[in-house]
Amino acid sequence: MIWHSMLGQQCGFRDGDMERIYLDYGSSKPIDPRVLELVRRYLEHNYGNPSSLHSVGLEAKRALEEARAKIAELINGENERTIIFTGSATEANNLAIKGAALRNIGKGKEVAASTIEHISVLNSMKELQKNGFILNLIPVDSTGIVGLEKLDKALTKNTTVTSIMYANNEIGTIEPIREISKIVHDKGLYLHVDATAAAGYIPIDVQADGIDLLTLSSNDLYGPHGAGALYVKPGVKLQPVLLGGGQERGFRSGTENLFAIAGMGQAARIAKDEMSQEADRLKGVRDKLIKEILTIEGSYLTGHRTHRLPNHASFRFNHIEGESILLNMDMHNIQVSTGSACSSKTLEPSHVLLAIGLKHEEAHGSMVLTLGRSNKMEEIPTIVKAVEETVERLRKLSPLSK
Amino acid sequence: MDQIGYSKKVMEHFMNPRNVGTIEDPDGHGKVGNPVCGDLMEMFIKIKKEVITDIKFQTFGCGSAIATSSMVTELAKGMHVDEAMKLTRSDVASELDGLPPQKMHCSNLAADALHEAVKDYKSKKKTTGKGSKRPRKDSRQSKR
Ligand code: FES
């Protein structure tokens, strides 16, 4: 028995010589070594506060502005002043949605978002709703694409903030942002786009795309955790959520987390330089992986087949449960994620899987693979074998697969 | 956190569950769904002189659900049926060196499935008398 032989191993019951295959880059990424080098320099030497007026402070300020410029370049922002640093993408989403809705309350008290937005977007919207705003949730089709006609119908001249993500982290679907932007600007005021999962994988051009507010995360670009950014188009009216000393042009008080921000800037520069090549490479691996995994009986792709992030492959399997899949794959030293009810704190299936029309029990068997820099074509046979074994073993345990 | 905080014993039972499967002509059969997350568990028992001589399970659920059903079958084997009725979720959880708090509800499922199987046995015993063979099922099988 292969499993018995593994049990002898000390921690985690894993074979010591099994190479780790990390397929959960969507949850967290290792910091790029080139970024790490820079970050270490900042931690060791650049202890200045960008708000201080002396030379040490000035040096810090320069670093801050440099990072701003690099991030603006990644998304073709008009200038570096369009970038506001935050502590995370979640904070940037909160600032964009609450900040814009409250500042423009005179123009209307309606907001809108797709049903598959990140929880930080949906919860910000719901908080507004509790405070008297009307929230319109825009449904998506079975592949996760936002219904444009439904969007058009839902928006009114009172809609101040509409939030649609560039691409979804659980099903990989890329939204038609340019068309969405036209609809939003025909009717309402601002389009906010959460680009956390998309940035660094697909080109983003806030000017050509027609985006007013855009959220980015440092770690999703292989930068350190603890920094995020919000692009704010010149002229967009926003009020702060965090109050204090007036840093970040008053939009986000609090001393800037300089080392993380500098790292995020460097990560954005690298992403800009290497994105197209890396995306092509990952797409090749991704497509092969999807093709092979779908040969397993009772397996289905979730999300859109082609309008899909190049690093993203997500599935569901009949008759088995996602947390078990995750644990079993981890025994092969392969890390994946799932949107199953059992794996969540609330014991509810992922709202994204329900939004694309899956039934409870279908959402149960979800497995999400997000590829990154370490993944190679050569890993595919090992991955596919592990998935096959996992599905077969769990189905043998399942009363549903008789 | 290694694997959502499961103990080694939980992982061991998850990887090597005991008593998996079904029993062709069980003396008792229990089937319960987890009202919390929508999972499913089935248990089959064989009884001789009020003692559980064989037990098998099938589970559609999380790691904890699989490990707790495996543990329940291990605990119940050789037990008097009345004792089996007294097995609680905390017995199961402590045998597994504890479960994360958000996973305690899965151990309910395992204990409930066992209790259902015993109840099924008891109700059959009432209607068919001792020996607990089920003529209905036998006749159905002989048709094939
Ligand atoms: S069976 Fe669903 S959480 Fe354990």
Side-chain angles (χ1 to χ4, degrees), chain A residues 21 30 62 68 71 87 113 140 149 160 166 176 180 182 193 222 249 320 326 344 354 365 378 382 393 401:
Chain A
I21 302 181
R62 214 171 290 134
R68 226 185 276 288
I71 290 161
V140 298
E149 275 166 35
T160 50
Y166 220 111
I180 288 169
K182 278 194 203 99
V193 175
Y222 294 91
R249 294 193 291 127
I320 58 177
L326 182 153
S344 80
L354 296 181
E378 297 81 74
T382 314
R393 185 177 93 85
S401 55

Short mmCIF file of all heavy atoms in Angstrom, two decimals, chain A residues 21 30 62 68 71 87 113 140 149 160 166 176 180 182 193 222 249 320 326 344 354 365 378 382 393 401:
data_model
loop_
_atom_site.label_atom_id
_atom_site.label_comp_id
_atom_site.label_asym_id
_atom_site.label_seq_id
_atom_site.Cartn_x
_atom_site.Cartn_y
_atom_site.Cartn_z
N ILE A 21 4.94 20.74 -5.64
CA ILE A 21 4.42 21.43 -6.82
C ILE A 21 3.34 22.39 -6.33
O ILE A 21 2.25 21.98 -5.95
CB ILE A 21 3.84 20.44 -7.86
CG1 ILE A 21 4.91 19.43 -8.29
CG2 ILE A 21 3.31 21.20 -9.07
CD1 ILE A 21 4.45 18.43 -9.33
N PRO A 30 5.33 33.61 -3.68
CA PRO A 30 6.63 33.91 -3.07
C PRO A 30 7.12 35.25 -3.62
O PRO A 30 6.77 35.64 -4.73
CB PRO A 30 7.52 32.77 -3.56
CG PRO A 30 6.90 32.33 -4.85
CD PRO A 30 5.43 32.56 -4.71
N ARG A 62 11.53 59.94 -2.08
CA ARG A 62 11.93 59.66 -3.45
C ARG A 62 11.59 58.20 -3.80
O ARG A 62 11.08 57.91 -4.88
CB ARG A 62 13.43 59.93 -3.63
CG ARG A 62 13.76 60.46 -5.01
CD ARG A 62 15.21 60.92 -5.09
NE ARG A 62 15.48 62.13 -4.32
CZ ARG A 62 16.53 62.29 -3.49
NH1 ARG A 62 17.38 61.31 -3.30
NH2 ARG A 62 16.70 63.43 -2.85
N ARG A 68 5.56 54.65 -7.10
CA ARG A 68 4.30 55.14 -7.66
C ARG A 68 4.38 55.18 -9.18
O ARG A 68 3.46 54.74 -9.89
CB ARG A 68 4.07 56.57 -7.13
CG ARG A 68 2.68 56.83 -6.63
CD ARG A 68 2.52 58.29 -6.26
NE ARG A 68 2.97 58.64 -4.92
CZ ARG A 68 2.35 58.29 -3.81
NH1 ARG A 68 1.25 57.56 -3.87
NH2 ARG A 68 2.81 58.64 -2.63
N ILE A 71 4.29 51.72 -10.81
CA ILE A 71 2.96 51.10 -10.80
C ILE A 71 2.05 51.77 -11.82
O ILE A 71 1.30 51.11 -12.54
CB ILE A 71 2.37 51.13 -9.38
CG1 ILE A 71 3.17 50.15 -8.51
CG2 ILE A 71 0.89 50.76 -9.37
CD1 ILE A 71 3.04 50.36 -7.04
N GLY A 87 -2.74 49.46 2.46
CA GLY A 87 -2.11 48.31 3.11
C GLY A 87 -2.42 46.99 2.44
O GLY A 87 -1.79 45.98 2.72
N ALA A 113 -22.58 45.97 -8.45
CA ALA A 113 -21.43 45.07 -8.53
C ALA A 113 -21.89 43.76 -9.13
O ALA A 113 -23.07 43.41 -9.05
CB ALA A 113 -20.84 44.83 -7.15
N VAL A 140 -24.08 36.89 -13.57
CA VAL A 140 -23.15 36.46 -14.63
C VAL A 140 -23.73 35.22 -15.29
O VAL A 140 -24.62 34.57 -14.74
CB VAL A 140 -21.77 36.13 -14.04
CG1 VAL A 140 -21.14 37.35 -13.39
CG2 VAL A 140 -21.85 34.98 -13.02
N GLU A 149 -26.50 43.17 -20.89
CA GLU A 149 -27.84 43.75 -20.94
C GLU A 149 -28.40 43.97 -19.55
O GLU A 149 -29.07 44.97 -19.27
CB GLU A 149 -28.79 42.82 -21.72
CG GLU A 149 -28.71 43.06 -23.21
CD GLU A 149 -29.36 41.94 -24.00
OE1 GLU A 149 -30.37 41.39 -23.51
OE2 GLU A 149 -28.84 41.62 -25.08
N THR A 160 -23.59 55.69 -8.67
CA THR A 160 -22.31 56.41 -8.59
C THR A 160 -21.11 55.47 -8.75
O THR A 160 -20.13 55.83 -9.37
CB THR A 160 -22.19 57.16 -7.25
OG1 THR A 160 -22.48 56.26 -6.20
CG2 THR A 160 -23.13 58.34 -7.21
N TYR A 166 -11.61 42.69 -13.07
CA TYR A 166 -10.99 42.45 -14.37
C TYR A 166 -11.04 40.96 -14.69
O TYR A 166 -11.40 40.55 -15.79
CB TYR A 166 -9.54 42.94 -14.38
CG TYR A 166 -9.16 43.61 -15.67
CD1 TYR A 166 -8.90 44.97 -15.73
CD2 TYR A 166 -9.10 42.87 -16.84
CE1 TYR A 166 -8.58 45.58 -16.92
CE2 TYR A 166 -8.78 43.48 -18.04
CZ TYR A 166 -8.52 44.83 -18.08
OH TYR A 166 -8.22 45.43 -19.27
N PRO A 176 -15.34 41.52 -20.00
CA PRO A 176 -15.18 42.48 -21.10
C PRO A 176 -15.21 43.92 -20.57
O PRO A 176 -16.21 44.62 -20.72
CB PRO A 176 -16.38 42.17 -22.01
CG PRO A 176 -17.41 41.60 -21.10
CD PRO A 176 -16.68 40.92 -19.98
N ILE A 180 -18.02 47.04 -20.73
CA ILE A 180 -18.64 47.38 -19.45
C ILE A 180 -18.45 48.85 -19.15
O ILE A 180 -19.38 49.55 -18.72
CB ILE A 180 -18.05 46.49 -18.32
CG1 ILE A 180 -18.56 45.06 -18.49
CG2 ILE A 180 -18.39 47.04 -16.94
CD1 ILE A 180 -17.87 44.03 -17.63
N LYS A 182 -18.18 51.29 -21.24
CA LYS A 182 -19.09 52.11 -22.06
C LYS A 182 -20.47 52.17 -21.41
O LYS A 182 -21.08 53.24 -21.31
CB LYS A 182 -19.21 51.51 -23.46
CG LYS A 182 -18.06 51.94 -24.34
CD LYS A 182 -18.34 51.64 -25.82
CE LYS A 182 -17.02 51.55 -26.55
NZ LYS A 182 -16.55 50.15 -26.76
N VAL A 193 -12.62 48.82 -10.89
CA VAL A 193 -12.23 47.50 -11.35
C VAL A 193 -11.21 46.91 -10.37
O VAL A 193 -10.17 47.52 -10.10
CB VAL A 193 -11.61 47.57 -12.77
CG1 VAL A 193 -11.07 46.21 -13.18
CG2 VAL A 193 -12.64 48.07 -13.77
N TYR A 222 4.06 39.31 -7.15
CA TYR A 222 5.30 38.75 -6.58
C TYR A 222 6.04 39.77 -5.73
O TYR A 222 7.25 39.70 -5.56
CB TYR A 222 6.24 38.20 -7.66
CG TYR A 222 5.71 36.99 -8.39
CD1 TYR A 222 4.96 37.13 -9.54
CD2 TYR A 222 5.97 35.72 -7.91
CE1 TYR A 222 4.47 36.04 -10.22
CE2 TYR A 222 5.49 34.60 -8.59
CZ TYR A 222 4.74 34.77 -9.75
OH TYR A 222 4.27 33.68 -10.41
N ARG A 249 -1.87 62.21 -0.29
CA ARG A 249 -2.72 63.34 -0.72
C ARG A 249 -4.04 63.39 0.06
O ARG A 249 -5.07 63.80 -0.44
CB ARG A 249 -3.00 63.28 -2.22
CG ARG A 249 -1.70 63.48 -3.04
CD ARG A 249 -2.01 63.74 -4.49
NE ARG A 249 -2.54 62.58 -5.15
CZ ARG A 249 -3.67 62.55 -5.85
NH1 ARG A 249 -4.41 63.63 -5.98
NH2 ARG A 249 -4.06 61.44 -6.43
N ILE A 320 -17.42 14.06 -5.16
CA ILE A 320 -16.40 14.19 -4.11
C ILE A 320 -16.35 15.64 -3.62
O ILE A 320 -16.93 16.53 -4.23
CB ILE A 320 -15.02 13.71 -4.57
CG1 ILE A 320 -14.57 14.47 -5.81
CG2 ILE A 320 -15.03 12.21 -4.83
CD1 ILE A 320 -13.17 14.08 -6.25
N LEU A 326 -8.25 18.77 -1.58
CA LEU A 326 -7.10 19.59 -1.19
C LEU A 326 -6.14 18.81 -0.28
O LEU A 326 -4.93 18.80 -0.50
CB LEU A 326 -7.63 20.84 -0.50
CG LEU A 326 -6.67 21.92 -0.01
CD1 LEU A 326 -7.39 23.26 0.01
CD2 LEU A 326 -6.12 21.63 1.36
N SER A 344 -14.85 26.30 3.86
CA SER A 344 -14.99 27.72 4.16
C SER A 344 -15.39 27.93 5.61
O SER A 344 -15.95 27.05 6.25
CB SER A 344 -16.03 28.35 3.24
OG SER A 344 -17.32 28.08 3.73
N LEU A 354 -21.80 29.38 -6.90
CA LEU A 354 -23.26 29.44 -6.92
C LEU A 354 -23.74 30.43 -7.98
O LEU A 354 -24.73 30.20 -8.66
CB LEU A 354 -23.81 29.82 -5.54
CG LEU A 354 -23.54 28.83 -4.39
CD1 LEU A 354 -24.17 29.33 -3.10
CD2 LEU A 354 -24.07 27.43 -4.73
N GLY A 365 -17.43 19.81 -5.20
CA GLY A 365 -16.26 19.12 -5.76
C GLY A 365 -15.30 20.03 -6.49
O GLY A 365 -14.68 19.62 -7.45
N GLU A 378 6.96 19.95 -17.49
CA GLU A 378 7.41 18.63 -17.02
C GLU A 378 6.64 18.17 -15.78
O GLU A 378 6.67 16.99 -15.43
CB GLU A 378 8.91 18.62 -16.66
CG GLU A 378 9.86 18.91 -17.81
CD GLU A 378 9.99 20.40 -18.10
OE1 GLU A 378 10.63 21.10 -17.32
OE2 GLU A 378 9.41 20.86 -19.11
N THR A 382 2.99 14.36 -13.30
CA THR A 382 2.87 14.16 -11.85
C THR A 382 1.56 14.73 -11.33
O THR A 382 0.86 14.10 -10.52
CB THR A 382 4.04 14.86 -11.11
OG1 THR A 382 5.25 14.56 -11.80
CG2 THR A 382 4.13 14.41 -9.67
N ARG A 393 -9.67 7.65 -5.39
CA ARG A 393 -9.72 7.23 -3.99
C ARG A 393 -10.94 7.81 -3.29
O ARG A 393 -11.67 7.12 -2.59
CB ARG A 393 -8.45 7.66 -3.26
CG ARG A 393 -8.39 7.14 -1.83
CD ARG A 393 -7.10 7.50 -1.14
NE ARG A 393 -7.18 8.73 -0.39
CZ ARG A 393 -7.64 8.82 0.87
NH1 ARG A 393 -8.05 7.74 1.50
NH2 ARG A 393 -7.67 9.98 1.48
N SER A 401 -21.16 7.71 -5.57
CA SER A 401 -20.62 7.20 -6.83
C SER A 401 -20.75 5.69 -6.91
O SER A 401 -19.78 4.99 -7.14
CB SER A 401 -19.17 7.61 -6.99
OG SER A 401 -18.41 7.20 -5.88
#
